[in-house]
Amino acid sequence: MSEHCEHCDNGEEHVHEHESGPLAELVTLRDWLRYAVTRFNRAGLFFGHGCADAYDEAVWLLLHTLSLPLDRLEPFLDACITADEREALFAVIERRAEERVPAAYLTGEAWLGDFRFHVDERVIVPRSFFAELLENGFAPWIEDADRVDSALDLCTGSGCLAILMAHAFPNADVVGADLSDDALEVAQLNVAEYGLEKQVELVKSDVFDGLAGRRFDLIISNPPYVTADSMETLPAEYLHEPRMALAAGEDGLDVVRRILAEGRTHLNPGGVLAVEVGHNRHIVEAAFPDLPFVWLSSSGGDDMVFLLRAEELPEAQA
């Protein structure tokens, strides 16, 4: 914005332009951080894609836009921002606030622990409790990570969990399977980024349909599990993600049912199946009252991920 006043020391009238607004008034990174946090809070943004609140998300977006280290805010807080940089910061703040685009899509990256992944709107933004469960090789459910020979990440999306599995189980041949060609393209970028082309195989598959005859020591899956009612009330940020990565029928179990029905056929004896289902534990247990689910503990609680051994899964239907 700008305003004009007409005055001059010698009495002659002329126009002076006094610029105002963020681009003119916000000088340091500290200024822009305060502005971004206020802007995000007033816009009522939802934070469910890696950051807990407006402050964390503002820090990430600003540091990334300025090509600064994401873990070193303090040394730069009082640095002056150039005119070009101010325009870039204003643009990214406005897109986040007005369009509700998740920060991961604005930056083109998402993080699970220390692992960075390329993401765009072809894939769901990586977020999974499996990241922390894999940090210790899925212990105690996997007794020896070095003895895992084969592992499957079903509904791999960006390939993030397949890549984490490759690091957790260095001797395993890992498969990342997904129905989406777009997702598999993004996953291939991430697999190549980590130099894992020889260890991680990407397969197009509708649940297990593209994996006939293949068995694994460990299968994990973070499948679509959003119920029809929940899809109707999702925050705007989630609407930027592929619908097929979220929606899973009336009760959110369309994909989970197929995994449970066919999982035993694709596990080695003693193999482990683990599936993330968000807040749907009560729905899962009501639908499958005879299965001895073990619910794994994570930072999100004790009811987000269930585990079953191969022998506990139903026999495949003829």
Side-chain angles (χ1 to χ4, degrees):
M1 295 179 60
S2 64
E3 68 181 76
H4 295 75
C5 63
E6 297 184 5
H7 66 83
C8 188
D9 290 341
N10 60 13
E12 296 180 4
E13 290 189 354
H14 69 111
V15 176
H16 290 279
E17 184 176 282
H18 297 287
E19 293 188 1
S20 61
L23 293 173
E25 298 172 4
L26 303 180
V27 177
T28 67
L29 179 57
R30 189 186 301 274
D31 295 337
W32 279 97
L33 177 58
R34 197 285 307 161
Y35 173 78
V37 173
T38 299
R39 183 77 175 90
F40 292 168
N41 282 332
R42 288 177 175 170
L45 300 187
F46 184 84
F47 306 101
H49 292 94
C51 292
D53 53 35
Y55 175 83
D56 287 346
E57 191 140 305
V59 169
W60 178 21
L61 282 173
L62 297 182
L63 291 177
H64 182 276
T65 302
L66 294 172
S67 300
L68 294 173
L70 298 183
D71 59 350
R72 298 187 65 190
L73 172 65
E74 292 296 328
F76 305 106
L77 276 172
D78 295 311
C80 291
I81 308 300
T82 69
D84 288 346
E85 289 173 334
R86 294 180 197 186
E87 291 184 0
L89 293 181
F90 184 72
V92 76
I93 291 169
E94 285 304 296
R95 283 204 69 198
R96 181 67 185 94
E98 290 294 327
E99 300 176 35
R100 304 297 179 95
V101 180
Y105 291 151
L106 294 173
T107 63
E109 66 180 22
W111 294 78
L112 290 177
D114 294 331
F115 289 82
R116 175 192 176 278
F117 302 100
H118 170 80
V119 296
D120 57 42
E121 295 191 15
R122 292 175 290 177
V123 294
I124 192 172
V125 177
R127 51 188 183 276
S128 176
F129 296 113
F130 279 118
E132 60 186 87
L133 294 171
L134 288 168
E135 286 180 358
N136 298 315
F138 221 70
W141 310 105
I142 299 294
E143 294 181 2
D144 186 351
D146 290 334
R147 297 185 65 181
V148 175
D149 295 323
S150 56
L152 169 65
D153 172 24
L154 197 60
C155 306
T156 194
S158 63
C160 58
L161 295 182
I163 290 167
L164 295 185
M165 292 174 85
H167 284 83
F169 310 114
N171 298 322
D173 292 324
V174 178
V175 173
D178 205 286
L179 177 60
S180 167
D181 290 320
D182 285 342
L184 291 171
E185 289 177 4
V186 176
Q188 187 59 59
L189 292 174
N190 286 315
V191 170
E193 180 71 20
Y194 281 94
L196 291 171
E197 296 95 331
K198 293 183 179 180
Q199 187 182 1
V200 177
E201 175 190 3
L202 297 173
V203 175
K204 182 175 182 178
S205 182
D206 184 357
V207 190
F208 291 110
D209 287 355
L211 299 164
R214 304 186 68 166
R215 290 179 178 267
F216 304 90
D217 297 325
L218 171 65
I219 299 173
I220 70 171
S221 183
N222 184 13
Y225 55 70
V226 182
T227 67
D229 286 344
S230 295
M231 285 297 298
E232 295 298 319
T233 59
L234 283 177
E237 282 81 355
Y238 290 106
L239 302 182
H240 290 273
E241 296 184 297
R243 182 181 176 86
M244 68 180 292
L246 300 171
E250 190 66 28
D251 63 358
L253 298 185
D254 282 4
V255 180
V256 173
R257 283 189 175 85
R258 293 183 60 189
I259 293 172
L260 291 174
E262 304 169 40
R264 184 166 183 163
T265 304
H266 294 279
L267 282 169
N268 290 321
V272 172
L273 168 71
V275 181
E276 187 167 332
V277 293
H279 295 285
N280 290 350
R281 174 174 178 170
H282 63 292
I283 301 175
V284 171
E285 291 184 328
F288 302 95
D290 297 327
L291 292 182
F293 295 108
V294 173
W295 294 91
L296 307 186
S297 297
S298 69
S299 59
D302 299 332
D303 57 358
M304 303 291 186
V305 178
F306 69 72
L307 179 144
L308 292 165
R309 296 280 184 184
E311 292 73 19
E312 296 168 335
L313 287 163
E315 294 280 1
Q317 298 296 313

